[in-house]
Amino acid sequence: MPTNQYVIIRDDLLVDPVTIISDGLLIGRLPQCELLLNHPSVSRVQAGIRQFEEGYYLFALRPKNPVILNGKPVEENEALAAGDIIEVGPFHLQIESTEDALVIRVEVRIGMKLSEIDVSDPGLSTDSLVEPDEKAKKPSPLW
């Protein structure tokens, strides 16, 4: 079985990039995982990456807590390509590749959710706000 190189770049932590030489890569929150993602929404062992023939594949290991690849849940396994985005809990893993290694850039996105609101909608303007009346301006006592 070939041994592969994985380069992990953690944009979410102040650590240097790490090169892992392994047959495969486990992703989860257990300390035994090669890519440790410590967050309660991440399963203990949630996914894995392995190389078969000429390509790398992502394996979902917890169907009740799916891994998202480019916006779609992974049900069994999916081929990876440069530019792919894997979502595991609040973590986004961007896949890049070199001749020698699969590069995984990790960032955390807590509190960020893409909105479907069109901010150019005139109904979202503050122009229609009215000033509160005098009663509403007075703060009420706390006791």
Side-chain angles (χ1 to χ4, degrees):
M1 180 103 5
T3 301
N4 305 303
Q5 286 190 22
Y6 302 90
V7 177
I8 311 298
I9 301 170
R10 299 293 302 247
D11 290 341
D12 61 327
L13 302 172
L14 295 173
V15 296
D16 290 332
V18 174
T19 300
I20 298 170
I21 300 172
S22 174
D23 292 336
L25 186 79
L26 286 177
I27 302 169
R29 69 169 201 269
L30 280 181
Q32 292 84 354
C33 291
E34 287 85 6
L35 181 48
L36 175 63
L37 302 177
N38 192 9
H39 189 272
S41 66
V42 176
S43 296
R44 290 175 285 177
V45 180
Q46 189 159 346
I49 297 177
R50 277 193 95 135
Q51 183 178 21
F52 291 101
E53 297 175 12
E54 294 299 315
Y56 288 92
Y57 287 83
L58 173 66
F59 293 86
L61 301 175
R62 294 290 179 261
K64 291 187 179 189
N65 190 9
V67 175
I68 308 297
L69 177 62
N70 299 326
K72 298 179 182 174
V74 175
E75 294 180 11
E76 290 184 18
N77 61 57
E78 292 285 337
L80 292 174
D84 283 347
I85 302 290
I86 302 169
E87 297 174 45
V88 182
F91 296 93
H92 283 220
L93 317 177
Q94 183 173 352
I95 302 300
E96 303 167 12
S97 63
T98 66
E99 287 184 22
D100 302 326
L102 183 72
V103 179
I104 303 171
R105 183 176 295 275
V106 180
E107 63 181 35
V108 65
R109 295 187 180 179
I110 295 178
M112 295 177 65
K113 189 151 187 131
L114 295 178
S115 175
E116 294 180 11
I117 296 173
D118 180 9
V119 293
S120 65
D121 182 353
L124 295 176
S125 171
T126 58
D127 296 337
S128 61
L129 294 178
V130 292
E131 189 173 325
D133 62 10
E134 285 299 314
K135 278 186 172 179
K137 285 186 177 180
K138 292 182 182 179
S140 60
L142 297 174
W143 54 91

